Amino acid sequence: MADTFRLTLAQANPVMGDLAGNANKVREVWAEAKAAQSDMVAFPEMFIVGYNAQDLILKSALQAAALAEIEQLAVDCAEGPVVAVGGPLVQDGALYNAYFILKGGKIAHTQLKHHLPNYTVFDEERLFAHGPMGGPYDVNGVRVGSPICEDAWFEDVPETMEETGAEILVVPNGSPYYRDKFDRRMNHMVARVIETELPLVYLNMVGGQDDQVFDGGSFVLNPGGQLATQLPVFDEAVAHVEFERTAAGWRCKDGPKALLPAGEEQDYRVCVEALRDYMGKTGFKKVLLGLSGGIDSALVATIAVDALGAENVRCVMLPSEYTSQESLDDAEDIAKRLGVHYDYVPIAEGRAAITNTLAPLFEGTEPGLTEENIQSRLRGLLLMALSNKFGEMLLTTGNKSEVAVGYATIYGDMAGGYNPIKDMYKTRVFETSRWRNNVHRDWMSGPEGEVIPVNIIDKPPSAELRPDQKDEDSLPPYDVLDAILFMLVDEDKSVADCVAAGYDRETVKRVEHLVYISEYKRFQSAPGARLSKKAFWLDRRYPIVNRFRDPS
């Protein structure tokens, strides 16, 4: 009976639907594990396909192709460490979220996910069947149990594995980031360790997939809840962890323990990684955006440079007669600080042409919101023309406050392929901009120092679509607006709850109304990095046609 057990953890970044590419990643890490004389190499949940595959996983052609890749992996990795990798499995007409144990040239064991998450971004109830609570599998004389992701958030599956002989728990995950989620994961896993008195390996994937970022942060806990190894967040990592048999059972030897960054840094890193992977996995190389001289576009430009490098970012100033000299100066200033390509494209001529074209139809009416929106939509048209001509993806720059209340022009400044700050409230945009000016990390491709001019951060926000316009002409102050939105959107609180918290009822009702009537805009908006449990898209799904208003 062996007294040591070496496990290789692959905290890896799959590409959705790239079955062959993901299988090759398995082979590469397996070779490292073999060289390290590991007994087993483990990959995250659904790694062969990618996660969260949504309805793509229902394609029978994908299911068959994924199984074929896994069967070929078993053959290719027959002489060396056991391979554990996630993928779909069809059995007796039912589709399961499965974890495949590859040993001796074949699939030696399959663990089927029992608890299926059906909240926030997850729809597993409509995609998969519930698997039975299975037992452990053998790896060179060691009994390993693998509760799949959600199965480890409940006590029954791990306890069943312990009762049927498991000695070590290896938990494969596809767990996307939201703020402060790491602490929740850790608390749940510590509970499982205390209940089973078994060491537990929490293995999570990394990388961006549409709006979600998987943040890694894999770790190993010993019985009692002691942390033995902590992998970094967001980075791909291969770690070899060593277990030894003791009189009290298996224990993991102490390994490296990465320091986890603070929440504001993790949020910013998500924005960077989401854009970087969205670009890389869709095949785009370069981006462009309208640079207004305001804080939102300044922060998006900074994120883009940190994600892709200044050589891959084009910023365009599209001034009208309402654009202040201060905004012109600020836009040029940040473009120089970031080192990006900078274009100056006035919209006066195009706007005059549109005004003349519409003049016979608009005769006798007063200028107003329509004329303001024409400016925004003309900018969107010009930016999309540049995107088409040069093959650069257009980034949109609306923050969560604007997205929530519709303070953005559909087919205008909402035009674009991705929005890095879609789930970042305006007050946090200010905080994040100040943070980035003071902090630089090696994963940032942009320059150090004060990249966002202080004047951009300090000046009152304005769309500059009419003389002397300020955002607060149309909206409550952002500290008030964001606090109300957080209660209504993120916490699903009532109007009465907001009033009890000290906010004016008329203001709360107005904000509630704006949120509801803006649903059609969000339905057509670009995807963006998910930072919270109530990001606009899969986390919060509301009807477009809706007359309900909270009567409280």
Side-chain angles (χ1 to χ4, degrees), residues 438-466:
N438 292 319
V439 175
H440 191 271
R441 301 289 187 236
D442 57 7
W443 47 264
M444 299 175 180
S445 297
E448 296 183 44
E450 191 180 278
V451 290
I452 300 176
V454 172
N455 189 60
I456 290 179
I457 299 173
D458 290 344
K459 68 183 178 183
S462 170
E464 294 193 323
L465 297 174
R466 62 176 182 265

Side-chain angles (χ1 to χ4, degrees), residues 115-126:
H115 292 288
L116 301 177
N118 204 55
Y119 50 84
T120 62
V121 299
F122 303 108
D123 279 318
E124 291 206 358
E125 285 281 358
R126 67 186 292 270

